[in-house]
Amino acid sequence: MHSFQCILFLCIGIISNIRLYAVTAEMTKSKSLSADVGADTTTTLVYDYADYYSLNIINFSPCDSHGVNAFGKVFLPVLYSLVFILGVIGNGLVVCVLVKHRNHTNLTDICLLNLAVSDLLFILTLPFYAHYVVVSTWTFGDFMCRFSAVSHNTGFFSGIFFMVVMTLDRYTVIMHSLTVARYRTLRAGIAITIIVWMLSFSVSLPALTFTKVTNESSLLACSYTPDSYAWELYELLAPNILGLVIPLLVMVICYLRIIPTLVNMRTTKKHRVVKLIVSIIVAFFLFWTPYNISLVLKFLKDGKKMQSDECTLGGNLKLAVTVTETIAYTHCCLNPIIYAFVGQKFMKRAMQLLKDWVPWIPFPSRNDMSDSSYRKSSIMSRSSELTSTIIK
């Protein structure tokens, strides 16, 4: 950018000297004519350079983001495609297993089912955005622009909220098992499901209202265009506060109180459960925190709150958002593994379902994974029941 400014000033100087030379030549010619006719005249030249120094150089030196855009066109579609495929397979299997065994559904299964549906709603919008990145224009119309935005946000927030519900449910079962057992009913699960989905949709309403198709440089863009700074600030604070800070605090506080109780229990599963709890917190923190930090820094940069080289900082932040966004989105692929597939009971049901679908693959036999054999091998004690609630 500095070299461009130097060239621009040099061009301005050359043009100024040419114009000054032309005016001077004209004056010289006029003086010669006056001398020839014997006229005694005096002319004073006053030239104003203020217009040149009042130029906004930034407007004439656009930042070159071709490299970041080219990287995004390759990186984002590939990662979006992988997230879409793995997410649909993993979460789809969770939905199929839980729906097939819906007669044995409890509050934990309801939360797992809704978490999988939330992840599916979230990742089903990724093909639209992948196509948008590749062709650099939105070709699906204003309705799909708004629908994709609200589905994307609703899936994101509902997934986070159901993770919080599962954390609180585990906490109450472990710490207050005798008092809350009668409240963990199917009716309570349905009521919690309705509340979470309504809350998630309400939080996502600004995306539905302010996201629209706009014409930018002869290309159609699907973008969030709020009509005030308050809604722009909301778009930043909602994912950070409701989607990261509060859920992370709830998980850390609840699990820090659960772990000592589990350690003191007489069960062979406690070490496995502690590792699972730690993996839940660490995965959530590592996958989502970099993305939220990148969004905050980009917001500060766009609001001129950070003093630095505009082009260098803008390019780095755009690249950071591109990379961390995709990493954060892959978390929905891990949810089936973290919350479902590590549980022995769910693994048994999933293997039975896959055995029925693809019988030529050598899965464990149905007898080895039957409900009766599973019940015989389980330890019917309070501690094992509680740990089964966590690793279910």
Side-chain angles (χ1 to χ4, degrees), residues 93 97 100-101 341 344-358 361-366 369:
L93 185 59
V97 170
K100 182 178 180 180
H101 297 273
F341 291 111
Q344 293 179 354
K345 185 176 181 180
F346 188 89
M347 278 294 297
K348 170 181 62 65
R349 292 175 175 178
M351 290 298 179
Q352 289 178 352
L353 185 62
L354 291 176
K355 182 68 176 179
D356 295 336
W357 287 353
V358 281
I361 298 180
F363 293 109
S365 64
R366 194 180 290 269
M369 304 183 64

Side-chain angles (χ1 to χ4, degrees), residues 18-30:
I18 293 175
R19 294 185 61 181
L20 181 60
Y21 175 79
V23 173
T24 304
E26 187 67 25
M27 286 179 56
T28 304
K29 182 178 180 180
S30 299

Side-chain angles (χ1 to χ4, degrees), residues 347-384:
M347 278 294 297
K348 170 181 62 65
R349 292 175 175 178
M351 290 298 179
Q352 289 178 352
L353 185 62
L354 291 176
K355 182 68 176 179
D356 295 336
W357 287 353
V358 281
W360 59 86
I361 298 180
F363 293 109
S365 64
R366 194 180 290 269
N367 294 331
D368 295 336
M369 304 183 64
S370 61
D371 289 334
S372 59
S373 62
Y374 176 79
R375 285 193 293 268
K376 290 178 182 179
S377 62
S378 62
I379 302 174
M380 300 305 295
S381 63
R382 176 180 178 272
S383 59
S384 62

Side-chain angles (χ1 to χ4, degrees), residues 75-76 80 122 133 152 287-288 290-291 294-295 319-330:
F75 179 76
L76 288 181
Y80 281 178
F122 178 82
V133 171
H152 190 85
F287 276 76
W288 280 107
Y291 177 55
S294 300
L295 290 180
L319 180 61
V321 171
T322 300
V323 175
T324 57
E325 177 188 63
T326 310
I327 294 175
Y329 289 177
T330 58

